[in-house]
Amino acid sequence: QVQLVESGGGLVQAGGSLRLSCAASGRTFSSVAMGWFRQAPGKVRDFVAAISASGVITDYADSVKGRFTISRDNAKNTVSLQMNSLKPEDTAVYVCAAGTRSGFFGSGSYYKFRGSYDYWGQGTQVTVSS
């Protein structure tokens, strides 16, 4: 079992920055891949970013590349999402997730799919005003 708790959401003006954090407890954090997803009202939950268990591999949705950075601290059991140059279309509930399957970052790009993750947090609201 892995318990995930997000923090750091809020209201920010377009062009501003926010840093989201996800604290994990339970299963050995350094053995699981982590991802961030987001869900806007009336829309499906979309992939934002993912990071491998070691932190060596990262990837992002095209819509956030160059603006968002995912990182993790295995000593502190946390994963973060630094969000810069925020746009109104970034407004959503941001949710972190943990995945335990092998080959997460292999040819199947499993990290991009909601169904690949085993554990989910409750989410934190990010609102970007224009």
Side-chain angles (χ1 to χ4, degrees):
Q1 286 283 346
V2 177
Q3 293 78 42
L4 303 171
V5 179
E6 302 92 338
S7 62
L11 173 65
V12 64
Q13 288 188 331
S17 299
L18 280 175
R19 185 176 180 86
L20 306 183
S21 293
C22 176
S25 60
R27 180 180 175 142
T28 303
F29 180 71
S30 60
S31 68
V32 300
M34 298 295 297
W36 284 97
F37 286 73
R38 65 186 181 186
Q39 187 166 14
K43 296 189 177 181
V44 299
R45 185 171 290 184
D46 287 330
F47 168 73
V48 174
I51 188 166
S52 63
S54 65
V56 171
I57 303 172
T58 60
D59 201 13
Y60 302 88
D62 288 342
S63 59
V64 306
K65 277 183 181 177
R67 300 188 298 123
F68 290 12
T69 303
I70 189 171
S71 60
R72 65 189 297 161
D73 185 338
N74 285 346
K76 296 182 178 180
N77 286 8
T78 59
V79 61
S80 298
L81 186 68
Q82 177 66 42
M83 306 186 296
N84 299 329
S85 302
L86 283 161
K87 304 175 181 179
E89 51 263 45
D90 294 319
T91 294
V93 174
Y94 284 71
V95 187
C96 71
T100 62
R101 66 175 297 162
S102 60
F104 221 67
F105 288 86
S107 59
S109 297
Y110 297 109
Y111 61 92
K112 294 184 178 180
F113 304 105
R114 297 186 302 274
S116 299
Y117 292 82
D118 305 289
Y119 306 100
W120 294 85
Q122 293 298 308
T124 185
Q125 176 70 47
V126 171
T127 303
V128 184
S129 63
S130 57

mmCIF file of all heavy atoms in Angstrom, residues 50-96:
data_model
loop_
_atom_site.group_PDB
_atom_site.id
_atom_site.type_symbol
_atom_site.label_atom_id
_atom_site.label_comp_id
_atom_site.label_asym_id
_atom_site.label_seq_id
_atom_site.Cartn_x
_atom_site.Cartn_y
_atom_site.Cartn_z
ATOM 1 N N ALA A 50 5.679 12.262 -15.526
ATOM 2 C CA ALA A 50 6.015 11.045 -14.797
ATOM 3 C C ALA A 50 7.512 10.987 -14.573
ATOM 4 O O ALA A 50 8.293 11.591 -15.318
ATOM 5 C CB ALA A 50 5.540 9.801 -15.548
ATOM 6 N N ILE A 51 7.897 10.251 -13.537
ATOM 7 C CA ILE A 51 9.300 10.091 -13.194
ATOM 8 C C ILE A 51 9.534 8.661 -12.740
ATOM 9 O O ILE A 51 8.704 8.080 -12.033
ATOM 10 C CB ILE A 51 9.710 11.118 -12.116
ATOM 11 C CG1 ILE A 51 11.211 11.109 -11.876
ATOM 12 C CG2 ILE A 51 8.935 10.901 -10.814
ATOM 13 C CD1 ILE A 51 11.696 12.326 -11.071
ATOM 14 N N SER A 52 10.659 8.106 -13.150
ATOM 15 C CA SER A 52 10.971 6.726 -12.790
ATOM 16 C C SER A 52 11.325 6.619 -11.310
ATOM 17 O O SER A 52 11.557 7.622 -10.635
ATOM 18 C CB SER A 52 12.126 6.213 -13.647
ATOM 19 O OG SER A 52 13.302 6.975 -13.396
ATOM 20 N N ALA A 53 11.398 5.393 -10.815
ATOM 21 C CA ALA A 53 11.678 5.156 -9.406
ATOM 22 C C ALA A 53 13.009 5.771 -8.984
ATOM 23 O O ALA A 53 13.136 6.321 -7.884
ATOM 24 C CB ALA A 53 11.673 3.651 -9.116
ATOM 25 N N SER A 54 14.007 5.714 -9.848
ATOM 26 C CA SER A 54 15.327 6.264 -9.537
ATOM 27 C C SER A 54 15.408 7.761 -9.765
ATOM 28 O O SER A 54 16.326 8.420 -9.297
ATOM 29 C CB SER A 54 16.387 5.581 -10.395
ATOM 30 O OG SER A 54 16.171 5.893 -11.765
ATOM 31 N N GLY A 55 14.447 8.286 -10.530
ATOM 32 C CA GLY A 55 14.476 9.703 -10.873
ATOM 33 C C GLY A 55 15.235 10.006 -12.149
ATOM 34 O O GLY A 55 15.289 11.163 -12.566
ATOM 35 N N VAL A 56 15.784 9.000 -12.777
ATOM 36 C CA VAL A 56 16.617 9.219 -13.964
ATOM 37 C C VAL A 56 15.775 9.552 -15.191
ATOM 38 O O VAL A 56 16.153 10.365 -16.033
ATOM 39 C CB VAL A 56 17.485 7.979 -14.238
ATOM 40 C CG1 VAL A 56 18.194 8.091 -15.578
ATOM 41 C CG2 VAL A 56 18.506 7.802 -13.105
ATOM 42 N N ILE A 57 14.615 8.916 -15.298
ATOM 43 C CA ILE A 57 13.768 9.095 -16.481
ATOM 44 C C ILE A 57 12.562 9.964 -16.133
ATOM 45 O O ILE A 57 11.887 9.738 -15.138
ATOM 46 C CB ILE A 57 13.272 7.740 -17.005
ATOM 47 C CG1 ILE A 57 14.444 6.814 -17.323
ATOM 48 C CG2 ILE A 57 12.414 7.943 -18.261
ATOM 49 C CD1 ILE A 57 14.030 5.406 -17.661
ATOM 50 N N THR A 58 12.315 10.965 -16.975
ATOM 51 C CA THR A 58 11.125 11.796 -16.831
ATOM 52 C C THR A 58 10.492 11.990 -18.207
ATOM 53 O O THR A 58 11.155 11.870 -19.241
ATOM 54 C CB THR A 58 11.453 13.182 -16.248
ATOM 55 O OG1 THR A 58 12.379 13.853 -17.117
ATOM 56 C CG2 THR A 58 12.068 13.078 -14.863
ATOM 57 N N ASP A 59 9.223 12.287 -18.199
ATOM 58 C CA ASP A 59 8.554 12.641 -19.448
ATOM 59 C C ASP A 59 7.340 13.510 -19.125
ATOM 60 O O ASP A 59 6.832 13.484 -17.996
ATOM 61 C CB ASP A 59 8.126 11.402 -20.229
ATOM 62 C CG ASP A 59 7.900 11.708 -21.709
ATOM 63 O OD1 ASP A 59 8.315 12.812 -22.149
ATOM 64 O OD2 ASP A 59 7.306 10.883 -22.408
ATOM 65 N N TYR A 60 6.891 14.244 -20.153
ATOM 66 C CA TYR A 60 5.844 15.229 -19.957
ATOM 67 C C TYR A 60 4.837 15.188 -21.102
ATOM 68 O O TYR A 60 5.168 14.814 -22.227
ATOM 69 C CB TYR A 60 6.461 16.631 -19.911
ATOM 70 C CG TYR A 60 7.499 16.800 -18.825
ATOM 71 C CD1 TYR A 60 8.833 16.484 -19.047
ATOM 72 C CD2 TYR A 60 7.132 17.266 -17.555
ATOM 73 C CE1 TYR A 60 9.776 16.622 -18.044
ATOM 74 C CE2 TYR A 60 8.073 17.419 -16.553
ATOM 75 C CZ TYR A 60 9.391 17.093 -16.806
ATOM 76 O OH TYR A 60 10.322 17.231 -15.811
ATOM 77 N N ALA A 61 3.643 15.628 -20.799
ATOM 78 C CA ALA A 61 2.680 15.871 -21.857
ATOM 79 C C ALA A 61 3.174 17.039 -22.705
ATOM 80 O O ALA A 61 3.830 17.953 -22.195
ATOM 81 C CB ALA A 61 1.313 16.194 -21.260
ATOM 82 N N ASP A 62 2.854 17.013 -23.979
ATOM 83 C CA ASP A 62 3.316 18.081 -24.875
ATOM 84 C C ASP A 62 2.852 19.452 -24.397
ATOM 85 O O ASP A 62 3.565 20.450 -24.558
ATOM 86 C CB ASP A 62 2.803 17.828 -26.290
ATOM 87 C CG ASP A 62 3.502 16.673 -26.966
ATOM 88 O OD1 ASP A 62 4.596 16.281 -26.506
ATOM 89 O OD2 ASP A 62 2.953 16.146 -27.952
ATOM 90 N N SER A 63 1.691 19.508 -23.796
ATOM 91 C CA SER A 63 1.113 20.789 -23.389
ATOM 92 C C SER A 63 1.884 21.464 -22.256
ATOM 93 O O SER A 63 1.710 22.660 -22.026
ATOM 94 C CB SER A 63 -0.342 20.598 -22.975
ATOM 95 O OG SER A 63 -0.430 19.674 -21.906
ATOM 96 N N VAL A 64 2.726 20.711 -21.546
ATOM 97 C CA VAL A 64 3.444 21.302 -20.409
ATOM 98 C C VAL A 64 4.954 21.259 -20.581
ATOM 99 O O VAL A 64 5.687 21.786 -19.738
ATOM 100 C CB VAL A 64 3.052 20.618 -19.083
ATOM 101 C CG1 VAL A 64 1.541 20.632 -18.898
ATOM 102 C CG2 VAL A 64 3.609 19.207 -18.985
ATOM 103 N N LYS A 65 5.434 20.647 -21.649
ATOM 104 C CA LYS A 65 6.881 20.557 -21.862
ATOM 105 C C LYS A 65 7.503 21.937 -21.907
ATOM 106 O O LYS A 65 6.990 22.849 -22.548
ATOM 107 C CB LYS A 65 7.174 19.808 -23.164
ATOM 108 C CG LYS A 65 7.146 18.303 -23.032
ATOM 109 C CD LYS A 65 7.513 17.609 -24.331
ATOM 110 C CE LYS A 65 7.456 16.094 -24.143
ATOM 111 N NZ LYS A 65 7.733 15.377 -25.411
ATOM 112 N N GLY A 66 8.627 22.080 -21.201
ATOM 113 C CA GLY A 66 9.320 23.350 -21.153
ATOM 114 C C GLY A 66 8.804 24.294 -20.088
ATOM 115 O O GLY A 66 9.437 25.311 -19.798
ATOM 116 N N ARG A 67 7.645 23.966 -19.485
ATOM 117 C CA ARG A 67 7.074 24.808 -18.430
ATOM 118 C C ARG A 67 7.027 24.096 -17.081
ATOM 119 O O ARG A 67 7.176 24.742 -16.044
ATOM 120 C CB ARG A 67 5.656 25.242 -18.818
ATOM 121 C CG ARG A 67 5.577 26.039 -20.109
ATOM 122 C CD ARG A 67 4.179 26.609 -20.329
ATOM 123 N NE ARG A 67 3.163 25.569 -20.468
ATOM 124 C CZ ARG A 67 2.088 25.475 -19.698
ATOM 125 N NH1 ARG A 67 1.881 26.345 -18.724
ATOM 126 N NH2 ARG A 67 1.192 24.498 -19.891
ATOM 127 N N PHE A 68 6.804 22.814 -17.099
ATOM 128 C CA PHE A 68 6.685 22.032 -15.860
ATOM 129 C C PHE A 68 7.913 21.146 -15.688
ATOM 130 O O PHE A 68 8.477 20.652 -16.671
ATOM 131 C CB PHE A 68 5.445 21.138 -15.904
ATOM 132 C CG PHE A 68 4.132 21.852 -15.833
ATOM 133 C CD1 PHE A 68 4.028 23.233 -15.984
ATOM 134 C CD2 PHE A 68 2.970 21.126 -15.603
ATOM 135 C CE1 PHE A 68 2.802 23.886 -15.917
ATOM 136 C CE2 PHE A 68 1.738 21.746 -15.538
ATOM 137 C CZ PHE A 68 1.661 23.126 -15.705
ATOM 138 N N THR A 69 8.283 20.905 -14.426
ATOM 139 C CA THR A 69 9.389 20.011 -14.116
ATOM 140 C C THR A 69 8.995 19.086 -12.972
ATOM 141 O O THR A 69 8.586 19.562 -11.904
ATOM 142 C CB THR A 69 10.648 20.781 -13.724
ATOM 143 O OG1 THR A 69 11.012 21.685 -14.777
ATOM 144 C CG2 THR A 69 11.801 19.833 -13.457
ATOM 145 N N ILE A 70 9.119 17.791 -13.201
ATOM 146 C CA ILE A 70 8.852 16.815 -12.148
ATOM 147 C C ILE A 70 10.170 16.382 -11.528
ATOM 148 O O ILE A 70 11.182 16.228 -12.217
ATOM 149 C CB ILE A 70 8.074 15.595 -12.710
ATOM 150 C CG1 ILE A 70 7.611 14.683 -11.567
ATOM 151 C CG2 ILE A 70 8.887 14.842 -13.748
ATOM 152 C CD1 ILE A 70 6.653 13.579 -12.032
ATOM 153 N N SER A 71 10.166 16.195 -10.220
ATOM 154 C CA SER A 71 11.363 15.751 -9.516
ATOM 155 C C SER A 71 10.935 14.924 -8.307
ATOM 156 O O SER A 71 9.762 14.947 -7.909
ATOM 157 C CB SER A 71 12.211 16.936 -9.076
ATOM 158 O OG SER A 71 11.490 17.783 -8.194
ATOM 159 N N ARG A 72 11.881 14.211 -7.732
ATOM 160 C CA ARG A 72 11.559 13.418 -6.551
ATOM 161 C C ARG A 72 12.738 13.415 -5.602
ATOM 162 O O ARG A 72 13.893 13.554 -6.013
ATOM 163 C CB ARG A 72 11.171 11.987 -6.930
ATOM 164 C CG ARG A 72 12.266 11.157 -7.552
ATOM 165 C CD ARG A 72 11.695 9.832 -8.086
ATOM 166 N NE ARG A 72 11.149 8.997 -7.016
ATOM 167 C CZ ARG A 72 10.286 8.008 -7.230
ATOM 168 N NH1 ARG A 72 9.836 7.750 -8.448
ATOM 169 N NH2 ARG A 72 9.851 7.281 -6.207
ATOM 170 N N ASP A 73 12.429 13.228 -4.332
ATOM 171 C CA ASP A 73 13.434 13.096 -3.292
ATOM 172 C C ASP A 73 13.130 11.802 -2.557
ATOM 173 O O ASP A 73 12.228 11.752 -1.703
ATOM 174 C CB ASP A 73 13.375 14.300 -2.346
ATOM 175 C CG ASP A 73 14.485 14.279 -1.317
ATOM 176 O OD1 ASP A 73 15.036 13.200 -1.039
ATOM 177 O OD2 ASP A 73 14.800 15.351 -0.786
ATOM 178 N N ASN A 74 13.854 10.762 -2.888
ATOM 179 C CA ASN A 74 13.568 9.449 -2.294
ATOM 180 C C ASN A 74 13.910 9.386 -0.811
ATOM 181 O O ASN A 74 13.380 8.559 -0.083
ATOM 182 C CB ASN A 74 14.292 8.356 -3.068
ATOM 183 C CG ASN A 74 13.624 8.066 -4.406
ATOM 184 O OD1 ASN A 74 12.497 8.475 -4.666
ATOM 185 N ND2 ASN A 74 14.334 7.360 -5.281
ATOM 186 N N ALA A 75 14.779 10.261 -0.368
ATOM 187 C CA ALA A 75 15.107 10.308 1.060
ATOM 188 C C ALA A 75 13.956 10.893 1.871
ATOM 189 O O ALA A 75 13.785 10.559 3.048
ATOM 190 C CB ALA A 75 16.375 11.119 1.282
ATOM 191 N N LYS A 76 13.164 11.761 1.232
ATOM 192 C CA LYS A 76 12.051 12.417 1.917
ATOM 193 C C LYS A 76 10.690 11.864 1.489
ATOM 194 O O LYS A 76 9.654 12.349 1.937
ATOM 195 C CB LYS A 76 12.087 13.923 1.671
ATOM 196 C CG LYS A 76 13.320 14.608 2.242
ATOM 197 C CD LYS A 76 13.272 16.101 2.009
ATOM 198 C CE LYS A 76 14.488 16.774 2.634
ATOM 199 N NZ LYS A 76 14.469 18.256 2.412
ATOM 200 N N ASN A 77 10.695 10.884 0.598
ATOM 201 C CA ASN A 77 9.449 10.277 0.104
ATOM 202 C C ASN A 77 8.501 11.305 -0.499
ATOM 203 O O ASN A 77 7.294 11.302 -0.214
ATOM 204 C CB ASN A 77 8.732 9.518 1.234
ATOM 205 C CG ASN A 77 9.412 8.215 1.576
ATOM 206 O OD1 ASN A 77 10.498 7.921 1.093
ATOM 207 N ND2 ASN A 77 8.789 7.420 2.432
ATOM 208 N N THR A 78 9.053 12.175 -1.320
ATOM 209 C CA THR A 78 8.227 13.192 -1.941
ATOM 210 C C THR A 78 8.500 13.284 -3.445
ATOM 211 O O THR A 78 9.618 13.009 -3.904
ATOM 212 C CB THR A 78 8.447 14.579 -1.333
ATOM 213 O OG1 THR A 78 9.833 14.933 -1.487
ATOM 214 C CG2 THR A 78 8.072 14.625 0.129
ATOM 215 N N VAL A 79 7.484 13.672 -4.170
ATOM 216 C CA VAL A 79 7.622 14.003 -5.578
ATOM 217 C C VAL A 79 7.010 15.381 -5.763
ATOM 218 O O VAL A 79 6.010 15.717 -5.120
ATOM 219 C CB VAL A 79 6.947 12.953 -6.484
ATOM 220 C CG1 VAL A 79 5.459 12.847 -6.214
ATOM 221 C CG2 VAL A 79 7.218 13.250 -7.950
ATOM 222 N N SER A 80 7.638 16.193 -6.600
ATOM 223 C CA SER A 80 7.204 17.572 -6.785
ATOM 224 C C SER A 80 6.933 17.862 -8.251
ATOM 225 O O SER A 80 7.454 17.185 -9.139
ATOM 226 C CB SER A 80 8.265 18.534 -6.263
ATOM 227 O OG SER A 80 8.480 18.351 -4.878
ATOM 228 N N LEU A 81 6.114 18.876 -8.464
ATOM 229 C CA LEU A 81 5.846 19.353 -9.814
ATOM 230 C C LEU A 81 5.982 20.870 -9.788
ATOM 231 O O LEU A 81 5.142 21.562 -9.220
ATOM 232 C CB LEU A 81 4.454 18.945 -10.283
ATOM 233 C CG LEU A 81 4.129 19.283 -11.737
ATOM 234 C CD1 LEU A 81 4.976 18.426 -12.679
ATOM 235 C CD2 LEU A 81 2.642 19.079 -12.027
ATOM 236 N N GLN A 82 7.062 21.363 -10.360
ATOM 237 C CA GLN A 82 7.274 22.801 -10.487
ATOM 238 C C GLN A 82 6.584 23.272 -11.754
ATOM 239 O O GLN A 82 6.895 22.780 -12.850
ATOM 240 C CB GLN A 82 8.769 23.119 -10.537
ATOM 241 C CG GLN A 82 9.079 24.593 -10.734
ATOM 242 C CD GLN A 82 8.650 25.432 -9.538
ATOM 243 O OE1 GLN A 82 8.838 25.050 -8.395
ATOM 244 N NE2 GLN A 82 8.066 26.590 -9.824
ATOM 245 N N MET A 83 5.668 24.212 -11.607
ATOM 246 C CA MET A 83 4.887 24.682 -12.742
ATOM 247 C C MET A 83 5.157 26.161 -12.966
ATOM 248 O O MET A 83 4.872 26.988 -12.088
ATOM 249 C CB MET A 83 3.393 24.446 -12.479
ATOM 250 C CG MET A 83 3.045 23.012 -12.124
ATOM 251 S SD MET A 83 1.280 22.709 -11.985
ATOM 252 C CE MET A 83 0.892 23.746 -10.591
ATOM 253 N N ASN A 84 5.731 26.494 -14.096
ATOM 254 C CA ASN A 84 6.056 27.864 -14.455
ATOM 255 C C ASN A 84 5.237 28.304 -15.659
ATOM 256 O O ASN A 84 4.677 27.478 -16.381
ATOM 257 C CB ASN A 84 7.546 27.985 -14.761
ATOM 258 C CG ASN A 84 8.424 27.639 -13.584
ATOM 259 O OD1 ASN A 84 8.057 27.843 -12.418
ATOM 260 N ND2 ASN A 84 9.591 27.089 -13.860
ATOM 261 N N SER A 85 5.190 29.603 -15.868
ATOM 262 C CA SER A 85 4.472 30.165 -17.026
ATOM 263 C C SER A 85 3.068 29.587 -17.135
ATOM 264 O O SER A 85 2.629 29.153 -18.206
ATOM 265 C CB SER A 85 5.247 29.894 -18.315
ATOM 266 O OG SER A 85 6.552 30.440 -18.246
ATOM 267 N N LEU A 86 2.370 29.593 -16.031
ATOM 268 C CA LEU A 86 1.050 28.978 -16.000
ATOM 269 C C LEU A 86 0.057 29.711 -16.885
ATOM 270 O O LEU A 86 0.125 30.938 -17.045
ATOM 271 C CB LEU A 86 0.539 28.911 -14.559
ATOM 272 C CG LEU A 86 1.175 27.793 -13.723
ATOM 273 C CD1 LEU A 86 0.993 28.047 -12.239
ATOM 274 C CD2 LEU A 86 0.587 26.449 -14.103
ATOM 275 N N LYS A 87 -0.856 28.921 -17.457
ATOM 276 C CA LYS A 87 -1.879 29.444 -18.358
ATOM 277 C C LYS A 87 -3.258 29.109 -17.784
ATOM 278 O O LYS A 87 -3.403 28.138 -17.040
ATOM 279 C CB LYS A 87 -1.740 28.787 -19.729
ATOM 280 C CG LYS A 87 -0.368 28.937 -20.362
ATOM 281 C CD LYS A 87 -0.279 28.150 -21.663
ATOM 282 C CE LYS A 87 1.088 28.263 -22.290
ATOM 283 N NZ LYS A 87 1.183 27.483 -23.556
ATOM 284 N N PRO A 88 -4.274 29.855 -18.152
ATOM 285 C CA PRO A 88 -5.623 29.534 -17.676
ATOM 286 C C PRO A 88 -6.027 28.092 -17.999
ATOM 287 O O PRO A 88 -6.741 27.455 -17.202
ATOM 288 C CB PRO A 88 -6.500 30.540 -18.413
ATOM 289 C CG PRO A 88 -5.604 31.724 -18.609
ATOM 290 C CD PRO A 88 -4.243 31.132 -18.885
ATOM 291 N N GLU A 89 -5.561 27.565 -19.108
ATOM 292 C CA GLU A 89 -5.908 26.183 -19.477
ATOM 293 C C GLU A 89 -5.219 25.136 -18.609
ATOM 294 O O GLU A 89 -5.512 23.948 -18.719
ATOM 295 C CB GLU A 89 -5.604 25.907 -20.951
ATOM 296 C CG GLU A 89 -4.212 26.289 -21.387
ATOM 297 C CD GLU A 89 -4.165 27.661 -22.043
ATOM 298 O OE1 GLU A 89 -4.789 28.613 -21.505
ATOM 299 O OE2 GLU A 89 -3.467 27.797 -23.078
ATOM 300 N N ASP A 90 -4.325 25.563 -17.723
ATOM 301 C CA ASP A 90 -3.727 24.641 -16.752
ATOM 302 C C ASP A 90 -4.620 24.439 -15.537
ATOM 303 O O ASP A 90 -4.317 23.612 -14.678
ATOM 304 C CB ASP A 90 -2.359 25.160 -16.290
ATOM 305 C CG ASP A 90 -1.325 25.178 -17.401
ATOM 306 O OD1 ASP A 90 -1.283 24.219 -18.197
ATOM 307 O OD2 ASP A 90 -0.551 26.165 -17.466
ATOM 308 N N THR A 91 -5.693 25.190 -15.454
ATOM 309 C CA THR A 91 -6.614 25.073 -14.327
ATOM 310 C C THR A 91 -7.208 23.671 -14.267
ATOM 311 O O THR A 91 -7.771 23.176 -15.242
ATOM 312 C CB THR A 91 -7.743 26.105 -14.444
ATOM 313 O OG1 THR A 91 -7.187 27.421 -14.319
ATOM 314 C CG2 THR A 91 -8.791 25.904 -13.361
ATOM 315 N N ALA A 92 -7.053 23.016 -13.110
ATOM 316 C CA ALA A 92 -7.527 21.646 -12.946
ATOM 317 C C ALA A 92 -7.230 21.192 -11.524
ATOM 318 O O ALA A 92 -6.523 21.869 -10.776
ATOM 319 C CB ALA A 92 -6.832 20.709 -13.937
ATOM 320 N N VAL A 93 -7.763 20.026 -11.185
ATOM 321 C CA VAL A 93 -7.325 19.328 -9.978
ATOM 322 C C VAL A 93 -6.138 18.458 -10.372
ATOM 323 O O VAL A 93 -6.241 17.656 -11.307
ATOM 324 C CB VAL A 93 -8.455 18.471 -9.390
ATOM 325 C CG1 VAL A 93 -7.930 17.639 -8.221
ATOM 326 C CG2 VAL A 93 -9.618 19.345 -8.942
ATOM 327 N N TYR A 94 -5.040 18.629 -9.665
ATOM 328 C CA TYR A 94 -3.824 17.873 -9.954
ATOM 329 C C TYR A 94 -3.700 16.732 -8.945
ATOM 330 O O TYR A 94 -3.799 16.949 -7.733
ATOM 331 C CB TYR A 94 -2.605 18.785 -9.887
ATOM 332 C CG TYR A 94 -2.488 19.664 -11.103
ATOM 333 C CD1 TYR A 94 -3.388 20.709 -11.314
ATOM 334 C CD2 TYR A 94 -1.506 19.437 -12.067
ATOM 335 C CE1 TYR A 94 -3.300 21.507 -12.451
ATOM 336 C CE2 TYR A 94 -1.402 20.229 -13.206
ATOM 337 C CZ TYR A 94 -2.308 21.256 -13.388
ATOM 338 O OH TYR A 94 -2.230 22.044 -14.522
ATOM 339 N N VAL A 95 -3.451 15.545 -9.485
ATOM 340 C CA VAL A 95 -3.427 14.337 -8.666
ATOM 341 C C VAL A 95 -2.116 13.592 -8.902
ATOM 342 O O VAL A 95 -1.691 13.442 -10.052
ATOM 343 C CB VAL A 95 -4.605 13.407 -9.017
ATOM 344 C CG1 VAL A 95 -4.665 12.234 -8.050
ATOM 345 C CG2 VAL A 95 -5.917 14.173 -9.010
ATOM 346 N N CYS A 96 -1.488 13.154 -7.820
ATOM 347 C CA CYS A 96 -0.293 12.336 -8.003
ATOM 348 C C CYS A 96 -0.657 10.863 -7.888
ATOM 349 O O CYS A 96 -1.670 10.503 -7.272
ATOM 350 C CB CYS A 96 0.810 12.706 -7.026
ATOM 351 S SG CYS A 96 0.535 12.237 -5.311
#
